[in-house]
Amino acid sequence: MADYSNKLYQQLEQETGVQTGYMKTGSISLAQTQDRLISLKRIASSLNVMGIPCEIITPKQVAQLHPLINIHDLVGAMYVPEDALVSSANVSLALATAASRNGVQIHERTSVSHVLIQKGRVTGVETDRGKIQCQYFVNCAGQWAYELGHSGDEPVSIPLHACEHFYLLTHPLKEPLASSVPTIVDPDGRIYIRNWQGGILSGGFEKNPKPLFTEGRNQLEIQNLQEDWDHFEPLLSSLLRRMPDLEALQIMQLVNCPESFTPDMRCIMGESPTVRGYFVLAGMNSAGISYGGGAGKYLAEWMVNGYPSENVWPLDLKRFGTLQSSRTFLRHRVMEVMPLMCDLKVPRWDFQTGRQLRTSPLYDRLDAQGARWMEKHGFERVKYFVPPGKDLLDLDQSKTFYKPDWFDIVGSEVKCCKEAVCVIDMSSFTKFEISSTGDQALESLQYLFSNDLDVPVGHVVHTGMLNEKGGYENDCSIARLSKRSFFMISPTDQQVHCWAWLKNRLPNDSNLTMEDVTWKYTALNLIGPRAVDVLSELSYAPITPEHFPSLFCKEMSVGYANGIRVMSITHTGEPGFMLYIPIEYALHVYNEVMNMGQKYGIRNAGYYALRSLRIEKFFAFWGQDLDAFTTPMECGREFQVKLDKGMQFVGQEALLEQKQNGVYKRFTMFILEDHDTDMDLWPWWGEPIFRNGRYVGKTTSSAYSYTLERHVCLGFVHHFDEKTGEELVVTTDFINQGEYEIDIAGQRFQAKAKLYPFSSLFTQRRRKDEVELSGYQRE
């Protein structure tokens, strides 16, 4: 988005005649520690393959580019020569001028008091100058987006919160700074420094931010925001350390202005899940001018075409639920988010505020057994369990780009999943029940899903909810409970998105009902070869493959509890079962499972073990590997599509076309070959993939495989014509005949590419030096 903004602002002055103050200065991001430098190297690798020039430079080179910078404590920096400065007010004026010339009416000094909504659709707005009818409304009200969202006939939840943001303006230096001098970003010092009219503009993101407007709308407060030198002092000290020559500089003003932040540091865009035609673009986290052009482009495409031209799920309003809109939650979370703008974000860090919001009934029980927690969509999920005697505090503070301290803990959980039996609490998964009095449920789902759901009662179907382009809007499992009712399990963060997608497309029929039952069921994943022994002893029912085949679902008793939905799937490729337990029985069933499992070596496990298992089995996850631009044909899931099920379904035409013409990207598994797990930087995700020295794609997820004893990365490979850059069809031969490397922070590691999981490697454990990776075919 920033790259598009940069290109757009360059041409605005020519198009409109309005001076935007555009000046290409470049930017230098400084590193005071080796970890920060690794972080910058990872960013540089990504920027370079996107075609944005970028290089890692030495402290001496920093001094050459910016003579006023003190470099004594630096270990390196990242230089982006194409970065630029503009005047945000002038850019706004230029955009407004261009819009007016294209017929847009702009009403200044006009306040919107109310958004009019009928039958779940926007119909107009009420302003202090009368009503305006409209089909679309875009809430770009910045820090007031929250209040404006609640001013409609139906409230729209937009989670963001304002903090005071301080920056310093100085008089020009004796020798005024050249307008082309690079902008300095010093994240370890928590400040940024740029030229301003020959002087300095410098602000930052302090460790102890001051939230404001928690009580709601109060625009007058803006005029009354005070200078606060005591509060700004740490940032001022940091500035003077970085540019000692500023000691004698005259300060013109300390500006205090509000800036809004979102709960996860990413901006908010997209259509409301509850009101059609109500779009949002807000919460830019101090980067509004950087992202504005690109964000506007995507939102315009979304409104005109029904979808943007890139995958913007990480920014979609529907990634949040109403639960993230509590004023108290937002106030506490932004006090953590604002400092995080500068903090080093090593892989798999977790927010500390706004926690324990949604928990399983087993939370306290698991916590007492050493569970370490992560959060997804407000739901607490276990990462791993710290064995007795391990230093909990030490583990919590283990933040690194290298081999993490939990490595052996997760390894022992994986081993138990493969050799005995483990329990993972997966209650956070989204769960819907869809039923009807007649055949409406089956007919509707057959149209909305790619696989054939007209299966015998008790069968479970893996399927995708696709869009018109054949891309995944959701990846889920659906169990047929009866002729007319279905139980649907989706990823945790699909709760709002999936509900809205189905609601907007299911027929408005009183005989058809959809209920969100996520909170009604605790889900236990029983993984491992001894899972069948534990379950058969607890249920007194035959659980053998003949009686309980794979992808089967039946209600049964477990211990004293009745009505447990048991499914023979694990989401990992390992043998085992999912138990969907009515919430009031959760503790009882868990205790029974753990007691009965003692003789089979049962133990608790967490999501890190699950991730390792699913990645080594080449299982793609939605939101990480799969998105609205990935089709089943591109990720080896043709078997989840029934093109001949006897009725039309959404995305069918696009898939038929792909089947005939081939695909332009292929989901591929990479095994790192010359990578030292103990000494080398780890791949986490987003690493560039090179084939025969040419960039072909990025990794989407990765994990250490304790079975192969080396790292496995998953990602998509594209095929570009070397001369024209045109995208070509990716064939099996193209994948198999290439020499691959994965770029981790600028260092490339050889990798073996496969289109199928190494299933033959999992029948018996072998040492990695005995494994000839190239010899295995699909089984």
Side-chain angles (χ1 to χ4, degrees):
M1 292 196 305
D3 189 41
Y4 179 85
S5 299
N6 194 344
K7 288 166 182 162
L8 173 70
Y9 300 159
Q10 276 183 70
Q11 65 196 48
L12 266 183
E13 204 163 310
Q14 273 182 318
E15 278 185 33
T16 63
V18 177
Q19 288 195 340
T20 57
Y22 184 91
M23 172 60 67
K24 196 170 283 185
T25 60
S27 70
I28 305 173
S29 297
L30 309 178
Q32 294 181 31
T33 65
Q34 287 299 332
D35 269 354
R36 176 70 68 183
L37 192 58
I38 291 166
S39 172
L40 294 177
K41 285 177 177 177
R42 288 179 61 89
I43 295 167
S45 291
S46 289
L47 293 181
N48 279 320
V49 296
M50 286 168 64
I52 299 170
C54 176
E55 60 178 313
I56 297 297
I57 60 175
T58 63
K60 273 187 179 172
Q61 288 171 298
V62 172
Q64 288 161 7
L65 288 163
H66 200 307
L68 294 179
I69 293 296
N70 175 7
I71 61 167
H72 79 278
D73 57 347
L74 301 182
V75 296
M78 178 178 76
Y79 177 46
V80 184
E82 301 280 305
D83 270 351
L85 291 177
V86 289
S87 155
S88 49
N90 291 4
V91 165
S92 301
L93 181 58
L95 289 169
T97 302
S100 298
R101 286 177 189 168
N102 284 285
V104 172
Q105 290 184 330
I106 295 175
H107 301 277
E108 296 187 54
R109 304 186 188 283
T110 306
S111 63
V112 172
S113 55
H114 198 63
V115 182
L116 305 169
I117 295 159
Q118 281 181 8
K119 295 182 180 172
R121 277 206 82 96
V122 167
T123 59
V125 290
E126 276 182 9
T127 77
D128 58 354
R129 301 188 184 190
K131 267 185 204 172
I132 302 174
Q133 287 188 318
C134 60
Q135 290 174 289
Y136 296 96
F137 174 75
V138 188
N139 183 337
C140 309
Q143 62 230 4
W144 295 288
Y146 181 101
E147 279 78 28
L148 185 54
H150 283 84
S151 72
D153 292 340
E154 290 181 35
V156 172
S157 175
I158 303 165
L160 48 78
H161 196 295
C163 286
E164 294 182 33
H165 180 55
F166 297 89
Y167 61 88
L168 187 73
L169 298 173
T170 76
H171 289 285
L173 282 72
K174 274 184 187 167
E175 280 185 39
L177 268 187
S179 56
S180 58
V181 73
T183 296
I184 298 294
V185 180
D186 184 1
D188 297 310
R190 317 194 71 83
I191 54 168
Y192 56 86
I193 309 162
R194 51 162 281 201
N195 172 48
W196 185 75
Q197 297 178 5
I200 293 288
L201 183 157
S202 178
F205 299 97
E206 63 273 26
K207 285 185 174 179
N208 54 334
K210 298 166 73 175
L212 72 166
F213 306 151
T214 303
E215 295 72 33
R217 182 195 292 258
N218 189 348
Q219 299 189 38
L220 294 175
E221 272 189 62
I222 281 199
Q223 317 305 325
N224 302 327
L225 290 179
Q226 302 293 316
E227 289 185 344
D228 187 339
W229 285 102
D230 289 341
H231 190 76
F232 190 71
E233 194 278 328
L235 300 182
L236 180 60
S237 298
S238 191
L239 171 64
L240 294 175
R241 271 196 307 276
R242 189 56 57 217
M243 295 177 77
D245 292 356
L246 295 188
E247 283 280 7
L249 201 62
Q250 277 190 302
I251 290 167
M252 183 185 289
Q253 187 184 1
L254 178 62
V255 180
N256 180 0
C257 62
E259 186 64 68
S260 60
F261 296 86
T262 64
D264 62 2
M265 293 190 296
R266 299 194 297 267
C267 68
I268 294 173
M269 63 162 60
E271 190 173 17
S272 157
T274 52
V275 181
R276 301 301 301 272
Y278 192 118
F279 284 80
V280 176
L281 186 51
M284 290 290 177
N285 308 298
S286 275
I289 198 70
S290 301
Y291 301 152
K297 171 182 183 266
Y298 290 143
L299 198 74
E301 292 170 342
W302 207 326
M303 295 167 74
V304 173
N305 304 327
Y307 49 87
S309 57
E310 297 276 348
N311 171 40
V312 295
W313 167 248
L315 313 178
D316 195 321
L317 171 63
K318 292 183 280 292
R319 73 188 187 271
F320 296 119
T322 50
L323 57 103
Q324 282 105 343
S325 275
S326 138
R327 274 292 193 186
T328 309
F329 167 84
L330 288 170
R331 182 181 178 89
H332 290 176
R333 175 57 64 86
V334 295
M335 289 171 75
E336 179 183 12
V337 163
M338 191 168 157
L340 277 171
M341 305 297 282
C342 289
D343 286 354
L344 186 68
K345 290 178 279 295
V346 295
R348 303 195 185 157
W349 53 271
D350 301 292
F351 288 111
Q352 302 302 307
T353 53
R355 297 294 296 270
Q356 298 180 23
L357 188 56
R358 305 172 74 196
T359 59
S360 151
L362 305 176
Y363 179 87
D364 287 344
R365 188 74 205 278
L366 300 177
D367 197 54
Q369 295 178 77
R372 309 322 286 154
W373 301 92
M374 61 200 266
E375 169 253 330
K376 185 81 173 263
H377 200 64
F379 216 115
E380 296 293 331
R381 313 201 302 185
V382 182
K383 296 190 278 194
Y384 50 80
F385 286 82
V386 179
K390 269 270 185 188
D391 185 345
L392 303 191
L393 198 63
D394 200 36
L395 265 171
D396 282 347
Q397 290 169 352
S398 149
K399 308 289 186 192
T400 175
F401 291 99
Y402 290 91
K403 179 181 175 181
D405 284 357
W406 44 255
F407 180 81
D408 291 331
I409 295 174
V410 174
S412 60
E413 291 180 5
V414 167
K415 187 173 191 284
C416 188
C417 287
K418 287 183 169 294
E419 296 175 5
V421 57
C422 275
V423 177
I424 302 181
D425 183 349
M426 294 177 66
S427 304
S428 68
F429 271 28
T430 297
K431 300 172 275 287
F432 295 159
E433 282 179 10
I434 300 161
S435 56
S436 58
T437 50
D439 294 331
Q440 299 95 328
L442 176 63
E443 287 169 8
S444 301
L445 295 182
Q446 285 284 65
Y447 173 66
L448 291 173
F449 290 87
S450 59
N451 212 339
D452 188 358
L453 298 178
D454 195 4
V455 292
V457 170
H459 282 249
V460 181
V461 177
H462 282 315
T463 182
M465 182 171 83
L466 309 181
N467 53 38
E468 284 71 16
K469 301 190 302 300
Y472 280 98
E473 293 295 334
N474 185 13
D475 175 49
C476 56
S477 304
I478 300 182
R480 192 168 194 180
L481 301 179
S482 71
K483 283 282 187 194
R484 298 185 175 118
S485 69
F486 298 83
F487 184 54
M488 176 176 164
I489 302 113
S490 304
T492 303
D493 51 6
Q494 273 279 6
Q495 191 165 12
V496 177
H497 173 70
C498 182
W499 179 269
W501 183 270
L502 288 172
K503 265 289 184 207
N504 291 335
R505 285 159 182 81
L506 286 171
N508 197 2
D509 186 333
S510 57
N511 296 314
L512 179 70
T513 58
M514 178 170 72
E515 186 186 0
D516 184 343
V517 294
T518 302
W519 61 275
K520 284 188 176 181
Y521 292 94
T522 296
L524 290 184
N525 196 348
L526 212 55
I527 302 178
R530 308 313 298 263
V532 62
D533 301 310
V534 174
L535 200 56
S536 30
E537 287 203 47
L538 281 174
S539 61
Y540 294 100
I543 312 284
T544 56
E546 303 83 60
H547 296 95
F548 207 135
S550 182
L551 292 177
F552 202 67
C553 170
K554 60 166 80 169
E555 286 207 353
M556 55 204 306
S557 300
V558 176
Y560 297 149
N562 210 348
I564 312 298
R565 284 180 190 162
V566 180
M567 297 186 196
S568 46
I569 55 173
T570 62
H571 305 286
T572 62
E574 300 296 327
F577 304 90
M578 285 293 303
L579 278 58
Y580 288 94
I581 308 158
I583 206 159
E584 63 269 31
Y585 299 144
L587 204 54
H588 169 75
V589 171
Y590 173 78
N591 289 339
E592 291 289 300
V593 165
M594 292 306 281
N595 291 337
M596 186 61 73
Q598 290 301 315
K599 58 183 173 185
Y600 299 110
I602 200 165
R603 66 179 285 173
N604 292 301
Y607 270 78
Y608 284 7
L610 187 85
R611 181 188 275 124
S612 175
L613 291 167
R614 72 96 177 165
I615 287 176
E616 69 179 19
K617 285 290 176 72
F618 205 10
F619 275 29
F621 265 30
W622 191 89
Q624 230 173 310
D625 309 300
L626 308 179
D627 58 41
F629 290 82
T630 305
T631 74
M633 306 300 186
E634 294 164 345
C635 62
R637 294 188 168 199
E638 301 91 332
F639 62 95
Q640 292 185 7
V641 175
K642 293 291 182 288
L643 291 166
D644 55 354
K645 63 179 176 179
M647 70 172 291
Q648 184 83 11
F649 63 85
V650 178
Q652 186 174 14
E653 283 178 31
L655 298 186
L656 283 166
E657 195 178 310
Q658 276 193 335
K659 190 176 182 186
Q660 191 174 336
N661 300 336
V663 297
Y664 291 91
K665 63 177 179 182
R666 284 289 288 273
F667 194 50
T668 310
M669 178 188 225
F670 297 94
I671 316 291
L672 291 192
E673 303 233 281
D674 56 345
H675 183 268
D676 187 321
T677 305
D678 294 319
M679 303 303 294
D680 288 325
L681 286 168
W682 274 30
W684 296 97
W685 63 275
E687 290 84 16
I689 302 164
F690 290 86
R691 179 188 181 276
N692 299 349
R694 285 173 60 84
Y695 171 67
V696 289
K698 282 190 178 180
T699 63
T700 50
S701 53
S702 68
Y704 182 79
S705 164
Y706 294 89
T707 313
L708 296 174
E709 295 184 352
R710 54 182 84 178
H711 262 94
V712 177
C713 299
L714 309 181
F716 286 91
V717 170
H718 299 253
H719 184 185
F720 301 103
D721 185 283
E722 291 194 25
K723 289 175 184 165
T724 63
E726 180 191 356
E727 267 205 283
L728 303 174
V729 168
V730 180
T731 61
T732 305
D733 283 348
F734 179 80
I735 299 288
N736 291 337
Q737 290 166 11
E739 296 286 325
Y740 291 90
E741 294 171 305
I742 306 291
D743 179 320
I744 306 176
Q747 186 179 354
R748 295 189 188 181
F749 295 89
Q750 290 178 352
K752 179 71 74 178
K754 300 301 280 182
L755 284 168
Y756 305 107
F758 292 82
S759 33
S760 47
L761 295 179
F762 298 99
T763 51
Q764 53 181 309
R765 180 167 176 75
R766 313 180 193 189
R767 288 198 53 77
K768 69 176 176 187
D769 48 7
E770 296 167 5
V771 173
E772 178 50 50
L773 294 175
S774 58
Y776 292 100
Q777 301 299 319
R778 188 180 192 184
E779 291 199 333

